Amino acid sequence: MKEFKILLVEDEKQMSMFIEMELSHEGYKVDVAYDGIDALNKIDNNDYNLILLDLMIPGINGTEVCRRIRQFSSIPIIMLTAKSEVSDKVLGLDAGANDYLTKPFAIEELLARIRVYTRSNDLAKDISDIKVADIVMDRKAHRVLRAGQEIELTKKEYQLLEMLLINKNVVLTREQLIESVWGYDYLGDTNVVDVFIRYLRSKIDEGFNQKLIATVRGVGYVIKGE
């Protein structure tokens, strides 16, 4: 895996040590900041691929840190916080966060969310074709073919399919798909994902023996294939 640098901003020492150990074990390069001021200093002096940002940190709180980062960078930010109220989530997303994870969380869920950004980071630099099973997405020509047959897609359908193909065999939540396709500031119903998945299935699965888009109940969607 290419070096993927993560800044972890977490003032709880035991929590930060545990997350840092798990991320390092997975092959990520990790820096740790224990307050908002240190976090901003590290961001000024280093290039990171992802920031894990606790909401309640001393010095400058996570929301303000996120807002300041967004003034000069679009680096992915995942908020980590003990606050689970919708208003707190909206506050973090409005400040510019890409994702939101409420404590306590399983480390496997955090790693899965990070993998979404590692894969997106690698493939965003590569505009070559994406191939999964008999689907080919020609990203230069903005065309999709299945078994040699061209599939006409709307812009949102194309973006949704691209996200699923990039993260093949990784289950993506509705929230992750919304933030990636509709944007973090989307305030509509998450059912929009279900609607567009139905549109996609009608175009790329109907009439084919192998159904590629799978539903993982209570979690989200995944495209399975080699």
Side-chain angles (χ1 to χ4, degrees):
M1 181 179 67
K2 297 178 182 177
E3 184 175 79
F4 191 90
K5 292 187 65 175
I6 296 174
L7 175 63
L8 169 63
V9 188
E10 169 62 70
D11 65 316
E12 294 181 27
K13 297 293 179 68
Q14 285 189 316
M15 172 71 77
S16 63
M17 287 176 61
F18 172 70
I19 295 175
E20 181 184 11
M21 180 182 67
E22 292 291 335
L23 294 181
S24 297
H25 180 72
E26 292 294 318
Y28 298 111
K29 168 70 174 162
V30 185
D31 286 346
V32 180
Y34 299 105
D35 61 66
I37 296 172
D38 187 28
L40 290 171
N41 286 335
K42 281 185 164 61
I43 292 165
D44 281 341
N45 293 291
N46 297 274
D47 292 322
Y48 296 106
N49 301 104
L50 177 72
I51 297 174
L52 302 177
L53 179 60
D54 186 43
L55 187 62
M56 302 299 292
I57 51 175
I60 303 173
N61 67 43
T63 303
E64 181 60 25
V65 170
C66 186
R67 189 175 290 113
R68 293 190 188 187
I69 293 170
R70 282 293 172 259
Q71 292 176 0
F72 62 87
S73 174
S74 59
I75 180 174
I77 299 172
I78 300 178
M79 283 281 194
L80 306 177
T81 179
K83 293 191 171 186
S84 58
E85 289 82 0
V86 172
S87 59
D88 293 310
K89 179 176 180 179
V90 170
L91 192 63
L93 295 176
D94 282 346
N98 299 84
D99 206 347
Y100 197 98
L101 200 54
T102 303
K103 300 175 183 177
F105 52 81
I107 191 65
E108 291 80 8
E109 182 178 3
L110 176 60
L111 293 173
R113 295 194 185 204
I114 291 173
R115 283 195 294 270
V116 170
Y117 294 101
T118 60
R119 290 174 181 233
S120 299
N121 182 73
D122 289 341
L123 285 168
K125 300 172 184 175
D126 181 6
I127 59 171
S128 60
D129 296 353
I130 304 174
K131 299 180 182 179
V132 178
D134 57 352
I135 284 186
V136 177
M137 175 174 278
D138 182 341
R139 301 170 83 190
K140 291 180 180 178
H142 211 77
R143 297 170 66 226
V144 175
L145 298 95
R146 179 156 193 195
Q149 175 185 336
E150 185 162 0
I151 309 293
E152 295 291 337
L153 299 176
T154 66
K155 180 180 178 180
K156 290 298 184 191
E157 290 167 353
Y158 181 95
Q159 291 173 332
L160 183 59
L161 179 61
E162 182 178 37
M163 191 66 181
L164 290 168
L165 291 174
I166 286 173
N167 297 284
K168 67 179 179 181
N169 298 319
V170 175
V171 180
L172 300 180
T173 66
R174 289 172 178 81
E175 289 76 16
Q176 287 172 318
L177 290 169
I178 281 178
E179 288 157 14
S180 297
V181 177
W182 282 268
Y184 72 88
D185 55 350
Y186 175 79
L187 297 178
D189 198 317
T190 57
N191 286 340
V192 68
V193 175
D194 305 317
V195 172
F196 274 80
I197 288 291
R198 286 200 297 272
Y199 293 160
L200 271 183
R201 280 178 168 149
S202 70
K203 294 182 177 183
I204 70 168
D205 274 348
E206 283 187 11
F208 296 92
N209 292 329
Q210 183 183 7
K211 310 303 180 186
L212 296 178
I213 302 176
T215 302
V216 179
R217 294 192 180 279
V219 184
Y221 298 98
V222 60
I223 279 187
K224 297 182 178 180
E226 298 301 324

